[in-house]
Amino acid sequence: MFNNILDVKGIKVGQVEDKEGLTGCTVIICEDGGVCGVDVRGSAPGTRETDLLDPINMVQKVHAIVLSGGSAFGLESTCGVSRYLEEKGIGFDVGVGKVPIVTGAVLFDLGVGDPKCRPNIEMGYKACQIANDIELKQGNYGAGCGATVGKIRGNEFCTKGGIGSYSIKLDNGLVVSAIIAVNAFGDVYENGQVIAGVLNDDKTDFLNTYDLMKKGVNKGGFNIDNTTIGAVVTNAKLSKAECKKISQMAHNGFAKSIFPIHTPHDGDTIFTLATGEVETDITLLGSIASEVVEKSVINAIKNASKTNNILSYNEINLK
């Protein structure tokens, strides 16, 4: 096992980032199509084709999920993914051609690097070109390139976020994985302890976002410079309605690892993609989904590295 999203057969992931502009995109490709659902809990989302994932709507499978920086501008990257898949003959057959079904979500990273640098068609296309099923980089890659957490005191005292993944395989062959781009307003926790978030004045230890909120601190924090997005990917047999339920339960993984979460200043979104190989119990699957999301968030933080003056978990814990 890779112990990441690539443990699910038929899944490829491609990531491209601009390390000068500090933004990027992550593309999850399922060439044969997978049943997909979504649950949006944050109040400032930027998404593509999420209405299509409603169980009452016609199309049953998607061919790619895009996680992107760039705020709403980053949705342009999904068009590059659509172009690539069309060229490869991948998509929903409409008689006169095949229309790739591409869904996705964006996070806000414009305040970290160059706000004029955004994931575009070319970046989405390139991510598809390099997509593979043997290597996944975590930390400052793809949609995690410009991600940060703990921004209530502004970017000067935040911590570097990133992209992370984790998977679990059961004896019956069920695989449940997640990939998460962590760009939260709140702090990130592991076993009840803050491992990334708002820093003190000399950047040697963490403060507590919730405590600061109660004291009236709000510099830079009460804005839209946030959003944690990701996907649960599994080889289970699921309907669209069941995928949506798994996405709902998977948000518990956010709640266990990030606080505050699902705020008016986040667009927190989780997709669930199912490739349809293994029968399973939905309660079990949703519980595992919560765990892999939580551990993906933690992996994103622990694999991140310093960007400009923004310290990461690793630099702070070396002091």
Side-chain angles (χ1 to χ4, degrees):
M1 289 182 67
F2 296 105
N3 199 28
N4 62 42
I5 188 177
L6 298 181
D7 289 327
V8 180
K9 183 181 177 181
I11 297 298
K12 295 180 180 179
V13 177
Q15 302 193 97
V16 176
E17 56 281 330
D18 185 323
K19 294 185 179 179
E20 297 297 322
L22 295 179
T23 192
C25 69
T26 298
V27 179
I28 306 156
I29 297 176
C30 184
E31 294 182 356
D32 294 332
V35 179
C36 193
V38 68
D39 188 52
V40 180
R41 295 286 175 93
S43 297
T47 59
R48 167 176 166 152
E49 294 281 33
T50 50
D51 280 353
L52 191 66
L53 305 183
D54 190 308
I56 69 171
N57 291 333
M58 180 182 69
V59 174
Q60 295 299 307
K61 293 185 176 182
V62 306
H63 304 97
I65 298 172
V66 182
L67 310 176
S68 179
S71 188
F73 299 111
L75 290 172
E76 183 183 331
S77 65
T78 65
C79 297
V81 177
S82 182
R83 176 186 295 177
Y84 175 88
L85 294 176
E86 182 187 20
E87 291 176 1
K88 297 298 180 181
I90 298 169
F92 179 72
D93 194 340
V94 294
V96 295
K98 291 186 177 179
V99 179
I101 306 302
V102 179
T103 189
V106 295
L107 56 80
F108 190 105
D109 56 9
L110 300 179
V112 178
D114 181 355
K116 295 297 183 181
C117 181
R118 301 103 178 227
N120 55 18
I121 291 176
E122 291 73 22
M123 187 179 282
Y125 189 94
K126 183 178 179 181
C128 292
Q129 287 180 309
I130 65 174
N132 69 89
D133 58 4
I134 59 173
E135 181 184 30
L136 178 73
K137 294 180 179 180
Q138 301 185 54
N140 297 22
Y141 296 95
C145 181
T148 53
V149 300
K151 285 163 278 192
I152 193 168
R153 300 181 72 200
N155 286 341
E156 182 181 358
F157 297 103
C158 68
T159 308
K160 187 68 182 72
I163 194 157
S165 185
Y166 188 83
S167 71
I168 290 175
K169 183 177 181 178
L170 300 187
D171 290 341
N172 66 351
L174 176 69
V175 180
V176 187
S177 303
I179 185 168
I180 307 292
V182 184
N183 186 60
F185 163 71
D187 305 317
V188 176
Y189 290 77
E190 181 182 25
N191 298 323
Q193 299 296 316
V194 177
I195 61 170
V198 58
L199 291 165
N200 61 8
D201 289 345
D202 58 7
K203 299 185 179 181
T204 58
D205 201 359
F206 298 110
L207 301 176
N208 184 291
T209 293
Y210 183 45
D211 287 344
L212 292 174
M213 290 171 60
K214 290 187 288 186
K215 294 176 182 177
V217 176
N218 63 11
K219 177 185 176 183
F222 298 128
N223 50 40
I224 58 171
D225 297 1
N226 311 296
T227 295
T228 298
I229 53 178
V232 171
V233 181
T234 178
N235 61 354
K237 294 181 180 179
L238 300 176
S239 66
K240 287 171 70 175
E242 289 170 332
C243 282
K244 182 175 181 65
K245 185 60 185 178
I246 298 304
S247 290
Q248 289 178 341
M249 296 179 71
H251 273 281
N252 293 331
F254 280 176
K256 290 193 291 183
S257 58
I258 303 170
F259 188 76
I261 189 67
H262 303 141
T263 76
H265 319 289
D266 292 286
D268 305 318
T269 300
I270 298 179
F271 299 90
T272 293
L273 180 71
T275 60
E277 295 181 359
V278 179
E279 297 282 356
T280 191
D281 175 76
I282 298 302
T283 301
L284 171 63
L285 179 54
S287 300
I288 298 173
S290 174
E291 180 180 356
V292 295
V293 165
E294 177 188 12
K295 291 183 176 178
S296 294
V297 170
I298 292 168
N299 279 347
I301 295 302
K302 290 189 172 181
N303 282 280
S305 57
K306 179 181 178 181
T307 297
N308 294 341
N309 294 322
I310 301 174
L311 299 182
S312 75
Y313 164 88
N314 294 290
E315 286 85 31
I316 297 166
N317 280 269
L318 287 174
K319 293 183 177 181

